[in-house]
Amino acid sequence: MTPFRRLDLFCRVVDNYGDIGICWRLAKQLVREHGLAVTLFVDDLASFQRICPAVNVAAERQQVEGVTVRHWRDQDGVYTPAEVADIVIEFFAVDLPPGYIDAMAQCAPRPVWFNLEGLTAEEWVEGCHRLPSMQPRAMTKYFFFPGFTDKTGGLLREAELERQRLQFEPAAFLSQLGLTPAEQAATRVSLFCYPHAPVSALFDVWQNGARPLTCLVPEGVAADAVRAFTGGGGGAGSVATRGALTVRVLPFVPQPDYDKLLWACDLNFVRGEDSFVRAQWAGKPFIWHIYPQDENLHHKKLRAFLRRYAADLPALADFSLRWNGAPAHGEDDNWAASWAAVAAEAGAATARAAAWQREMLSHGDLASNMLSFAASLR
Ligand code: TRH
């Protein structure tokens, strides 16, 4: 049982859905599993509403699934010490409102202050996880890093997730999404990636493949390639079959349904941070499209992850590097050979996904790890 009662979480949506996706997941879990009163300050309610349709974009303050959600409009505002929570989390080093920091400094005891950082498999994270950083007015902020080893904060995972996954029946869910029996019987692949992914090249390979393959793409993802393939507007419900490949456009679904989509597929293409982690909990092989960074820093991060995850999956590692524009052996566009190798490795990749999931489970979950560390500071 945690000694804390209240927690404030500050989230800025830099772009897309990962920032709010992660904060929303964490906020809900802290309420449900740890009984905390959580306030989520978020600057972009429209992005939030896409993953959680219950959000009212016009409300300054609202209750959503037990979490108090506040529209974080600006850095102004005066806060009293009584308004400050016992634990304060800034996500991805966002700047807290100066008035809030002022109020924190007046609290006794001081709140436990975290900077929750982004996920990377690089080794330096272990040395920085939990490091204190001195702040003005004798306050201390602690770095907290998610990660893949027991010397990091672990990964976000709800206690019920695995039970829900094991009880899940894909057929009804897939029918609800509009898949025909033939589309369901084919190899099923979900596709979530950034616009620069070489999707058309992959569609060509799948179209000419020997086995039927159904590719499920959320609306707006890989829009150009999807429009070119389907010959239509690419809106939800668009579907086309050419050769062995059927591409079906899905609506952008609420966050819990996105998990089900991952569970229902044989292979998942995921991106960013949150869908990347959810694919790992799905226990299925996946291909990661990493969020691009300046000077190809993301290639370093991708390689660090592949060293941990895919040391014994050379085809998956090679395909992942190509998918991210970082081929191991120089540029070539032999997607057919690369895909054939991935397909031939499917058995080993499925076994690896399950083993990796077990290994990650053994590190506990990020929310619990964070609360234990916070308790140790009091
Ligand atoms: O959307 P992302 O690319 O998000 C991020 C942001 O770009 C962020 O700035 C960056 O820091 C981070 O990547 C690395 O990818 P991500 O992280 O996978 O988040 C997507 C979220 O959207 C995730 O919570 C799942 C959710 N989602 C749905 O709820 N429904 C859907 O249909 C789909 C496709 C996704």
Side-chain angles (χ1 to χ4, degrees):
M1 195 59 192
T2 171
F4 304 101
R5 284 188 316 112
R6 288 170 49 206
L7 182 146
D8 284 354
L9 171 55
F10 288 81
C11 170
R12 262 192 208 298
V13 175
V14 177
D15 60 2
N16 305 322
Y17 308 103
D19 308 294
I20 186 59
I22 293 164
C23 289
W24 177 231
R25 203 179 279 299
L26 174 61
K28 274 188 303 186
Q29 191 188 355
L30 289 165
V31 170
R32 281 190 199 153
E33 296 176 23
H34 299 280
L36 284 164
V38 176
T39 300
L40 171 58
F41 292 77
V42 55
D43 64 339
D44 176 355
L45 293 174
S47 296
F48 190 2
Q49 193 190 45
R50 285 213 81 194
I51 62 163
C52 177
V55 169
N56 174 357
V57 293
E60 288 305 308
R61 183 192 281 260
Q62 57 194 304
Q63 286 294 122
V64 188
E65 297 190 37
V67 176
T68 302
V69 174
R70 284 181 62 172
H71 193 179
W72 182 15
R73 284 190 180 278
D74 52 41
Q75 294 296 81
D76 299 339
V78 176
Y79 296 81
T80 62
E83 286 176 282
V84 172
D86 308 314
I87 300 178
V88 179
I89 303 176
E90 51 180 54
F91 182 68
F92 273 7
V94 295
D95 287 328
L96 299 182
Y100 191 91
I101 297 181
D102 209 45
M104 283 166 73
Q106 296 170 48
C107 291
R110 298 282 172 71
V112 178
W113 185 359
F114 285 119
N115 171 13
L116 176 56
E117 279 288 352
L119 175 63
T120 170
E122 293 161 294
E123 280 168 21
W124 60 262
V125 165
E126 292 187 345
C128 296
H129 176 55
R130 296 174 165 201
L131 272 191
S133 139
M134 298 312 150
Q135 300 296 311
R137 303 173 68 182
M139 288 196 283
T140 307
K141 176 160 76 183
Y142 292 88
F143 288 98
F144 205 86
F145 281 86
F148 303 102
T149 71
D150 60 4
K151 294 189 182 63
T152 69
L155 300 173
L156 269 181
R157 175 182 47 81
E158 301 82 357
E160 286 295 285
L161 185 67
E162 186 57 2
R163 188 188 58 76
Q164 289 167 352
R165 183 179 80 90
L166 294 172
Q167 287 176 354
F168 172 69
E169 302 279 355
F173 177 74
L174 292 171
S175 300
Q176 212 182 315
L177 290 175
L179 274 78
T180 63
E183 288 166 32
Q184 294 188 33
T187 300
R188 297 185 297 265
V189 176
S190 77
L191 178 64
F192 187 37
C193 57
Y194 295 110
H196 59 282
V199 172
S200 289
L202 194 55
F203 280 179
D204 280 348
V205 174
W206 286 344
Q207 180 177 339
N208 295 311
R211 277 184 51 79
L213 189 149
T214 303
C215 178
L216 301 171
V217 195
E219 190 175 9
V221 173
D224 292 345
V226 167
R227 267 197 301 271
F229 188 88
T230 60
S238 301
V239 58
T241 302
R242 289 167 198 264
L245 172 63
T246 298
V247 172
R248 177 175 282 282
V249 181
L250 304 179
F252 197 91
V253 292
Q255 208 181 33
D257 282 352
Y258 183 66
D259 275 328
K260 293 181 186 161
L261 179 64
L262 298 175
W263 301 341
C265 287
D266 303 298
L267 172 71
N268 294 301
F269 284 71
V270 288
R271 75 183 199 189
E273 180 168 325
D274 193 51
S275 59
F276 168 54
V277 172
R278 302 314 274 187
Q280 294 170 51
W281 296 132
K284 301 281 182 69
F286 63 89
I287 305 287
W288 182 28
H289 206 211
I290 188 169
Y291 187 74
Q293 287 180 296
D294 290 342
E295 296 172 8
N296 283 338
L297 194 63
H298 58 297
H299 288 167
K300 218 172 148 199
K301 293 183 174 177
L302 173 65
R303 288 196 176 90
F305 176 71
L306 292 174
R307 272 197 299 278
R308 291 188 192 278
Y309 183 83
D312 295 325
L313 299 173
L316 187 132
D318 174 73
F319 188 95
S320 302
L321 290 166
R322 285 163 181 275
W323 185 244
N324 285 279
H329 311 293
E331 286 301 335
D332 79 58
D333 53 5
N334 196 346
W335 285 98
S338 190
W339 172 253
V342 168
E345 205 180 64
T350 302
R352 175 61 181 146
W356 176 259
Q357 190 190 23
R358 283 195 296 278
E359 193 184 325
M360 294 303 109
L361 275 171
S362 73
H363 303 144
D365 71 274
L366 185 133
S368 307
N369 292 340
M370 186 179 240
L371 291 181
S372 306
F373 178 54
S376 75
L377 296 169
R378 274 286 158 88

